[in-house]
Amino acid sequence: MEYDLIWEHRDLFLEGVWTTIWLIATSLFIGGIVAIPLALAQAYKVPYLGRAAAAYSYAYRGTPLLVQLYLLYYGLAQFEAVRDSIFWPLLKRPEICAVIAFSMNSAAYVCEMIRGAILAIPKGEIEAAEAIGMSPFKLTRRIIIPSALRKALPAYSNEVIFMLHASVIASTITITDILGAGRTLNGMYYLAYEGLITAAVLYLIIVFIVDRIFNQAEKRFLAHLVR
């Protein structure tokens, strides 16, 4: 192992770590916001919207994330109307395309998690809220959504780790994430594995931190479910 080279280029890897965390955090935030109304539309079987949400979820879960990213980054650039639009200054930037692709993909998976959690809410909770005169909007905001988010927490931790691992494809569109930093180091000095091993260690550290955070969150928000 060329430890001296790795340490000498620590700023490159720190940039990769920051880029990866920024991409994932932003994508998960946007994906979560999109997922909640999609899940409600499916769970409540809202006319037209429910089927549209189901179709959206099926399309994004049924196609590889790499294909979605390539279609967005390379595919849209083929259309002159897109290049002439006001959105082109954003869409031509690889990090923006990565955030959009990751967000929409994450929303499809999180939507299904929340939908399942909504359907698993005991009817007694809903009936009790209705008995004290809660409106449908207040019932959804104060009972259904908080309860569903708590129940979906364990599955959501897996989604966060999945998105972290899937984010390695960002390096294929010139983004210097963790894997991109490792590949850059290998390419600069014709190394075989030093950069990749360093990247793997950094991913392991981040996964460990994420796992600890969600373990603490589950202990706090799901303590009432422990028998």
Side-chain angles (χ1 to χ4, degrees):
M1 285 285 289
E2 299 288 344
Y3 296 108
D4 291 340
L5 283 178
I6 295 172
W7 178 251
E8 182 181 341
H9 292 82
R10 60 188 181 277
D11 289 344
L12 175 64
F13 285 100
L14 288 175
E15 178 189 352
V17 169
W18 165 249
T19 300
T20 296
I21 293 176
W22 176 83
L23 281 175
I24 297 304
T26 304
S27 300
L28 289 172
F29 176 75
I30 297 174
I33 292 177
V34 174
I36 292 176
L38 293 178
L40 290 171
Q42 284 198 74
Y44 289 154
K45 297 181 179 179
V46 179
Y48 303 109
L49 291 179
R51 290 187 178 181
Y56 168 89
S57 177
Y58 176 80
Y60 273 90
R61 290 185 299 119
T63 54
L65 179 56
L66 181 61
V67 174
Q68 298 167 17
L69 179 60
Y70 276 18
L71 287 175
L72 186 63
Y73 183 64
Y74 295 113
L76 290 182
Q78 307 302 313
F79 298 99
E80 185 176 352
V82 175
R83 296 195 302 271
D84 293 337
S85 71
I86 61 174
F87 302 106
W88 180 240
L90 293 176
L91 293 176
K92 70 178 181 180
R93 296 173 58 184
E95 63 272 18
I96 298 299
C97 288
V99 167
I100 295 174
F102 293 171
S103 298
M104 297 301 97
N105 183 272
S106 178
Y109 285 93
V110 176
C111 165
E112 294 301 317
M113 295 176 196
I114 298 177
R115 181 185 68 84
I118 291 174
L119 296 178
I121 296 176
K123 292 184 178 180
E125 291 185 21
I126 299 176
E127 292 173 352
E130 291 175 340
I132 62 174
M134 276 193 181
S135 65
F137 176 77
K138 183 178 290 188
L139 171 63
T140 301
R141 181 174 61 88
R142 299 188 62 178
I143 304 297
I144 294 177
I145 291 179
S147 181
L149 293 179
R150 286 195 299 268
K151 293 179 184 298
L153 192 58
Y156 186 68
S157 65
N158 290 329
E159 167 64 12
V160 173
I161 294 174
F162 167 78
M163 283 301 303
L164 175 63
H165 291 164
S167 70
V168 298
I169 67 173
S171 63
T172 65
I173 58 171
T174 73
I175 295 176
T176 306
D177 62 345
I178 294 176
L179 180 60
R183 294 171 63 181
T184 298
L185 181 67
N186 283 358
M188 290 170 61
Y189 297 97
Y190 302 100
L191 303 176
Y193 54 82
E194 280 84 348
L196 298 180
I197 290 179
T198 304
V201 171
L202 291 173
Y203 282 116
L204 283 171
I205 293 172
I206 296 176
V207 168
F208 177 81
I209 295 173
V210 169
D211 190 54
R212 293 300 93 192
I213 291 174
F214 274 96
N215 281 342
Q216 293 301 315
E218 289 177 24
K219 289 180 181 179
R220 177 177 179 180
F221 296 109
L222 299 179
H224 64 288
L225 299 179
V226 178
R227 295 289 186 264

